[in-house]
Coordinates of all heavy atoms in Angstrom, one line a residue:
V100 N 333.9 -35.5 241.4 CA 332.9 -34.3 241.2 C 331.5 -35.0 241.7 O 331.0 -35.6 241.0 CB 332.9 -33.8 239.8 CG1 331.8 -32.6 239.8 CG2 334.3 -33.3 239.4
Q158 N 337.2 -29.9 247.9 CA 336.5 -29.3 246.6 C 336.9 -30.2 245.4 O 337.7 -30.8 245.2 CB 337.1 -28.0 246.4 CG 336.5 -27.2 245.2 CD 337.0 -25.8 245.1 OE1 337.9 -25.4 245.9 NE2 336.3 -24.9 244.4
A159 N 335.7 -30.3 244.6 CA 335.7 -31.1 243.4 C 336.8 -30.6 242.4 O 337.0 -29.4 242.3 CB 334.5 -31.2 242.8
D160 N 337.3 -31.5 241.5 CA 338.1 -31.1 240.4 C 337.9 -32.0 239.3 O 337.7 -33.4 239.7 CB 339.4 -30.7 240.8 CG 340.4 -32.1 241.1 OD1 340.9 -32.7 240.1 OD2 340.5 -32.3 242.3
N161 N 338.3 -31.9 238.2 CA 338.1 -32.8 237.0 C 339.5 -33.2 236.6 O 339.6 -33.7 235.5 CB 337.3 -32.1 235.9 CG 338.1 -30.9 235.3 OD1 339.1 -30.6 235.8 ND2 337.5 -30.3 234.3
H164 N 341.1 -28.8 236.7 CA 340.7 -27.5 237.2 C 339.6 -27.8 238.3 O 338.8 -28.7 238.0 CB 340.2 -26.5 236.1 CG 340.2 -25.2 236.6 ND1 339.0 -24.6 237.1 CD2 341.1 -24.2 236.6 CE1 339.2 -23.3 237.3 NE2 340.7 -23.1 237.2
Y165 N 339.5 -26.9 239.2 CA 338.5 -27.1 240.3 C 337.2 -26.8 239.8 O 337.0 -26.1 238.8 CB 338.8 -26.3 241.6 CG 338.7 -24.6 241.3 CD1 337.4 -24.1 241.6 CD2 339.8 -23.8 240.9 CE1 337.2 -22.8 241.2 CE2 339.5 -22.6 240.8 CZ 338.3 -22.0 240.8 OH 338.2 -20.6 240.6
K166 N 336.1 -27.3 240.5 CA 334.8 -27.0 240.3 C 334.1 -26.5 241.6 O 334.6 -26.8 242.6 CB 334.0 -28.4 239.9 CG 334.6 -29.0 238.7 CD 334.4 -28.3 237.4 CE 334.7 -28.8 236.2 NZ 334.6 -28.2 234.9
N167 N 333.1 -25.7 241.4 CA 332.5 -25.0 242.6 C 331.5 -25.9 243.2 O 330.2 -25.6 243.2 CB 332.0 -23.7 242.2 CG 333.1 -22.7 241.9 OD1 334.1 -22.6 242.6 ND2 332.8 -21.8 240.9
T168 N 331.9 -27.1 243.5 CA 331.1 -28.1 244.2 C 331.9 -29.0 245.1 O 333.3 -28.9 245.1 CB 330.1 -28.8 243.2 OG1 329.3 -29.6 243.9 CG2 331.0 -29.7 242.3
S169 N 331.3 -30.0 245.6 CA 331.9 -31.0 246.5 C 332.4 -32.2 245.7 O 331.9 -32.5 244.7 CB 331.0 -31.3 247.6 OG 331.6 -32.2 248.5
Y180 N 332.1 -28.4 251.7 CA 333.6 -28.6 251.3 C 334.6 -27.4 251.6 O 334.1 -26.2 251.7 CB 333.6 -29.1 249.8 CG 333.2 -27.8 248.9 CD1 334.1 -27.0 248.4 CD2 331.9 -27.7 248.4 CE1 333.8 -26.0 247.5 CE2 331.5 -26.7 247.6 CZ 332.5 -25.9 247.2 OH 332.1 -24.8 246.3
N184 N 340.6 -24.7 245.3 CA 340.8 -24.1 244.1 C 342.0 -24.6 243.3 O 342.9 -24.0 242.8 CB 341.0 -22.5 244.2 CG 339.8 -21.9 244.8 OD1 338.7 -22.4 244.7 ND2 339.9 -20.6 245.3
Y185 N 342.1 -26.0 243.3 CA 343.1 -26.8 242.6 C 343.1 -26.4 241.1 O 342.1 -26.4 240.4 CB 343.0 -28.2 242.8 CG 343.9 -29.1 241.9 CD1 345.1 -29.4 242.1 CD2 343.2 -29.6 240.7 CE1 345.9 -30.1 241.3 CE2 344.1 -30.4 239.8 CZ 345.3 -30.6 240.1 OH 346.1 -31.3 239.3

Side-chain angles (χ1 to χ4, degrees):
V100 180
Q158 184 175 8
D160 72 81
N161 63 3
H164 198 263
Y165 70 89
K166 300 293 182 181
N167 290 319
T168 188
S169 177
Y180 63 92
N184 296 340
Y185 165 83

